[in-house]
Amino acid sequence: MWRCSLSWSQADFCGLTHLVKLDLSKNKLQQLPADFGRLVNLQHLDLLNNRLVTLPVSFAQLKSLKWLDLKDNPLDPALAKVAGDCLDEKQCKQCANKVLQHMKAVQADQERERQRRLEVEREAEKKREAKQRAKEAQERELRKREKAEEKERRRKEYDALKAARREQEKKPRKETNQAPKPKAGPRPRKPPPRRPSRTWAVLKLLLLLLLCAAGGLLACRVPELRRQPLCAGVNAVYDSALRGLRGHHILQWVLRADSQQ
């Protein structure tokens, strides 16, 4: 039988699976190791006068346990009720049996709770996956619809461009074919060629005469030639023409004749 004190680590004896009796009384233990159930050959266990409130779930694996003492521990009320007293051999054996059955029920409850949590987690995961799949499907559908709309929009733009090009190609031909023909009508008469104005001829003649007269006059104005008979006639004509021009008789006659035409 092993008698353990506080100086010895609680976890060390869990590997001593060959133990049959173990005395851990009066050690002020607050809890047992979680893997205490590895002591599958343990038959006698004394936990008198410690500070235990609960037992590890692995306690249910101590299938060989025949004797148990849990007196003087602040046990959980449910566990204390199951354990009862251990005042004699019979009570200690009953304590071992009842506690094992209780711990098996606790283990089963915890296993069911663990399974329930796992199931809840699996359902939540399935819902998340289904939601994600639905979201991805919706996004794919949205992308597909946007792609189809973009394709349709490009097709319409292409068709509109082709139609515009066809209209542009037909327009010159249509305008050429439907160009309005000039209406038949009387041709405009060409203006008759203008005849040279008599006034202009007279002016040209007068200009020529004036040039000739001016030349002769200039020659006859020379003092040496003024006394010559020809120059005397020229000077007389010049003086007479000058007087006529001053009276505007010739110009009035020419203008009157041109207006009558």
Side-chain angles (χ1 to χ4, degrees):
M1 179 176 178
W2 282 78
R3 178 73 177 85
C4 301
S5 63
L6 289 175
S7 61
W8 189 53
S9 173
Q10 296 181 13
D12 291 344
F13 59 81
C14 291
L16 304 176
T17 57
H18 61 282
L19 288 178
V20 176
K21 285 188 177 183
L22 181 60
D23 187 357
L24 296 175
S25 61
K26 301 178 182 180
N27 275 316
K28 299 180 180 181
L29 298 175
Q30 295 182 0
Q31 62 181 6
L32 296 177
D35 57 347
F36 192 83
R38 293 173 58 190
L39 303 176
V40 292
N41 292 317
L42 190 62
Q43 298 179 11
H44 186 104
L45 177 60
D46 192 350
L47 295 173
L48 174 69
N49 196 13
N50 282 288
R51 298 177 181 176
L52 298 173
V53 177
T54 60
L55 297 175
V57 179
S58 64
F59 200 92
Q61 300 175 7
L62 302 177
K63 298 179 180 180
S64 300
L65 189 63
K66 304 296 183 183
W67 192 95
L68 177 62
D69 189 358
L70 288 172
K71 291 192 307 295
D72 299 331
N73 282 283
L75 297 174
D76 179 79
L79 180 60
K81 183 178 179 179
V82 170
D85 293 328
C86 183
L87 301 177
D88 55 25
E89 188 73 13
K90 182 179 180 180
Q91 290 182 343
C92 291
K93 289 182 177 180
Q94 290 178 350
C95 176
N97 184 41
K98 290 180 179 180
V99 168
L100 280 178
Q101 296 299 323
H102 175 74
M103 295 309 299
K104 287 180 180 179
V106 170
Q107 186 181 39
D109 291 342
Q110 290 189 358
E111 181 64 20
R112 283 193 297 270
E113 181 63 20
R114 187 180 71 83
Q115 292 294 334
R116 188 189 67 80
R117 287 196 300 268
L118 288 176
E119 187 65 23
V120 170
E121 291 177 359
R122 282 195 294 267
E123 290 296 328
E125 183 65 21
K126 288 180 180 179
K127 289 181 180 180
R128 285 194 297 269
E129 291 177 356
K131 187 176 180 180
Q132 183 65 24
R133 287 194 298 268
K135 183 179 179 181
E136 292 175 355
Q138 185 177 4
E139 291 177 353
R140 286 195 301 270
E141 185 64 23
L142 179 60
R143 288 194 297 268
K144 185 178 179 180
R145 185 166 60 251
E146 290 177 351
K147 188 176 180 181
E149 290 176 355
E150 179 66 17
K151 186 176 180 180
E152 181 66 16
R153 184 183 64 81
R154 291 183 179 179
R155 187 188 65 79
K156 289 181 178 179
E157 289 180 354
Y158 177 72
D159 292 343
L161 182 60
K162 286 179 65 177
R165 287 180 179 175
R166 286 195 298 267
E167 290 296 328
Q168 191 68 22
E169 291 174 356
K170 292 178 180 180
K171 190 174 181 181
R173 298 177 183 175
K174 188 176 181 181
E175 290 179 353
T176 303
N177 296 333
Q178 298 181 0
K181 297 181 180 180
K183 295 182 179 180
R187 295 183 180 179
R189 295 181 180 180
K190 293 183 179 180
R194 297 181 61 184
R195 292 180 294 175
S197 175
R198 185 179 295 179
T199 303
W200 177 245
V202 172
L203 290 176
K204 288 174 67 177
L205 181 58
L206 288 176
L207 182 59
L208 181 59
L209 292 175
L210 286 174
L211 289 175
C212 294
L217 180 61
L218 290 176
C220 291
R221 287 295 179 180
V222 177
E224 292 80 3
L225 299 176
R226 184 177 295 180
R227 295 178 181 179
Q228 295 294 329
L230 181 60
C231 287
V234 171
N235 290 330
V237 173
Y238 172 74
D239 293 336
S240 178
L242 184 61
R243 285 193 298 270
L245 289 174
R246 285 176 181 175
H248 300 285
H249 298 299
I250 298 175
L251 290 176
Q252 291 178 2
W253 175 78
V254 170
L255 292 173
R256 193 183 304 102
D258 185 64
S259 63
Q260 292 176 357
Q261 292 179 358

